[in-house]
Amino acid sequence: MAVNGVDASETDFVEMKARCQLIFDADPSQCHTDASLRRFLRAFLTVDDAFKALLKCNKWRRNFGVETLSPEDPDILSELGTGKAIMLSHRDVRGRPIIYIAVRKHSVYERDIDKLTKFIVYILENGCRKCNEDVIDNLCIVFDLKDFSMGCMDYQFVKNLIWLLSKYYPERLGVCLIVNAPMLFYGCWTAIKPWLNEVTASKVTFVNDEKTMMEYLHPDMLPHD
């Protein structure tokens, strides 16, 4: 058995791979890399739970149409046009791809949650494809709260993102940086934090100065518009 966030034993990995191999041989479209199997084991702790979670993930990906998502999709194209979430060309100091979210460009009153969820899955897929699993296999997600207002605060979106990361992208979050957070947001964080497990919550860092930022990435990497 693994400890949450810690690599599983080699025995568990061998058993997990043997179980999955029967499925992968029958349907190569369901195949996962060794790194992916290890992520599921780290997140779900036992071989039984990790195997069940992987099967559910594969079913979700098929039903959601993850492999068919593209920037030509009208829903994704419209969200891309807002600039609210983008992949940065640079990486953080650990080599992680960076997903940058400009919260001020989002309005909870104008969004369609299903279209927004499709868009964030598209962004997560792009980020995961940029990971070099031989080096590092997780992401840096930056939430920029400059000019934050309660009209930007979308609790349902946050719940959906937590659900996606925990169930279908386990152990893909390396670090989540909250930058330029005003005092107004700290009340929101009090509501959000209980939705996170201990390991995930430990990956969230509030960045309040350039020195702290430099521990993760160079400030000039972030958009300034």
Side-chain angles (χ1 to χ4, degrees):
M1 177 186 293
V3 176
N4 199 261
V6 177
D7 280 335
S9 70
E10 195 62 23
T11 301
D12 283 352
F13 171 70
V14 170
E15 182 182 346
M16 176 75 168
K17 189 169 183 177
R19 287 197 196 184
C20 292
Q21 198 62 52
L22 295 172
I23 297 170
F24 299 165
D25 289 343
D27 182 2
S29 70
Q30 296 201 53
C31 191
H32 284 246
T33 63
D34 287 358
S36 179
L37 299 184
R38 292 184 187 279
R39 286 193 298 272
F40 273 86
L41 281 168
R42 285 201 303 273
F44 295 98
L45 306 182
T46 69
V47 175
D48 283 344
D49 287 345
F51 181 67
K52 291 174 185 176
L54 184 142
L55 294 181
K56 289 179 180 178
C57 176
N58 283 358
K59 181 179 180 181
W60 168 79
R61 291 180 67 87
R62 184 169 57 251
N63 292 342
F64 197 86
V66 172
E67 299 301 328
T68 66
L69 297 179
S70 78
E72 284 74 40
D73 182 302
D75 296 336
I76 294 173
L77 186 61
S78 65
E79 292 291 347
L80 284 171
T82 67
K84 68 177 65 171
I86 59 174
M87 289 296 311
L88 299 187
S89 58
H90 301 285
R91 295 171 181 262
D92 73 2
V93 296
R94 295 281 302 278
R96 291 178 285 226
I98 302 171
I99 296 174
Y100 173 80
I101 300 175
V103 177
R104 66 184 178 279
K105 296 183 178 182
H106 179 69
S107 171
V108 68
Y109 306 113
E110 297 176 2
R111 59 91 170 124
D112 179 303
I113 193 63
D114 293 330
K115 293 179 181 179
L116 183 59
T117 301
K118 182 193 292 187
F119 173 63
I120 207 63
V121 169
Y122 168 78
I123 292 291
L124 288 171
E125 285 291 308
N126 278 354
C128 292
R129 280 194 289 269
K130 289 179 178 293
C131 289
N132 181 346
E133 294 192 332
D134 294 331
V135 180
I136 194 159
D137 63 355
N138 51 54
L139 305 168
C140 170
I141 300 180
V142 178
F143 284 88
D144 188 347
L145 270 58
K146 179 182 177 183
D147 299 329
F148 173 84
S149 70
M150 289 309 295
C152 308
M153 187 62 243
D154 194 336
Y155 288 106
Q156 187 58 57
F157 165 72
V158 173
K159 284 184 176 181
N160 284 11
L161 179 59
I162 293 170
W163 177 262
L164 288 168
L165 289 171
S166 63
K167 300 298 182 182
Y168 305 134
Y169 296 89
E171 295 295 307
R172 280 297 197 180
L173 178 64
V175 66
C176 178
L177 304 180
I178 311 294
V179 304
N180 298 317
M183 287 302 299
L184 177 65
F185 178 74
Y186 285 86
C188 304
W189 176 241
T190 300
I192 293 169
K193 190 175 181 180
W195 302 340
L196 306 173
N197 63 40
E198 185 177 348
V199 172
T200 303
S202 71
K203 297 177 181 179
V204 178
T205 297
F206 282 77
V207 178
N208 299 310
D209 55 72
E210 187 170 305
K211 181 180 178 181
T212 304
M213 179 75 80
M214 291 290 287
E215 295 175 12
Y216 299 95
L217 52 86
H218 195 285
D220 288 345
M221 292 180 180
L222 302 182
H224 296 292
D225 61 331

